[in-house]
Amino acid sequence: MSYSFEFALDSQSDGKSSLIEALLGLRFNVHEIEMGTRQPLILQMVHYRSTLEPRCRFQEEDSKEYRSPVVSASTIADVIKSRTEALLKKTKTSVSPKPIVMRAEFAHCPNLTIIDTPGFDQKVACWFI
């Protein structure tokens, strides 16, 4: 199985997360008026022909183990939001470099790993492939 890795880097609120959701085929991320992504999201998309509904699972904090599958897009957004809020409260910061790792298995997605980064305050735009 071959995987490609891509990083989405750009200014805040420029649509990085929306592009990643379009690639997965599922709207799941936290959407805020200002900065929605406050810590990197490592999204491991895995193509499974027999999985007709997206099956997502989160890696446990400080572990390589994954939680039970989550199917609901609103539940996925809630997990991302609650994990981010807890970490930022603990670190007393507004953005963290510590990533959330999510694995998505779905018949309609490619084998691809994308890292969605928080936006930059200044205009910077580049893609690393």
Side-chain angles (χ1 to χ4, degrees):
M1 190 177 301
S2 173
Y3 288 93
S4 172
F5 295 89
E6 297 201 19
F7 294 83
L9 300 173
D10 207 340
S11 299
Q12 70 184 45
S13 302
D14 275 352
K16 297 177 301 297
S17 298
S18 296
L19 174 64
I20 290 167
E21 289 175 331
L23 286 171
L24 180 58
L26 173 69
R27 186 173 178 163
F28 63 86
N29 216 336
V30 178
H31 293 270
E32 302 285 338
I33 304 257
E34 292 182 15
M35 181 188 258
T37 304
R38 297 190 175 273
Q39 67 183 114
L41 173 68
I42 299 174
L43 175 59
Q44 302 168 334
M45 292 188 277
V46 181
H47 175 79
Y48 274 100
R49 265 188 296 217
S50 61
T51 307
L52 300 179
E53 293 294 323
R55 185 174 55 208
C56 301
R57 58 182 85 223
F58 288 90
Q59 198 172 68
E60 294 288 346
E61 294 282 334
D62 303 317
S63 171
K64 298 290 183 192
E65 300 296 317
Y66 284 86
R67 292 182 179 180
S68 298
V70 176
V71 178
S72 162
S74 62
T75 303
I76 294 167
D78 290 343
V79 170
I80 292 170
K81 187 172 185 171
S82 66
R83 276 191 171 191
T84 299
E85 288 173 352
L87 178 65
L88 297 180
K89 184 177 181 180
K90 185 171 117 180
T91 60
K92 296 182 172 90
T93 58
S94 60
V95 177
S96 173
K98 184 177 181 180
I100 293 173
V101 179
M102 184 175 92
R103 179 182 173 100
E105 301 161 351
F106 190 32
H108 304 292
C109 76
N111 287 324
L112 179 67
T113 297
I114 296 181
I115 302 172
D116 183 12
T117 61
F120 295 102
D121 288 334
Q122 299 175 358
K123 284 286 183 187
V124 177
C126 60
W127 285 85
F128 292 100
I129 301 175

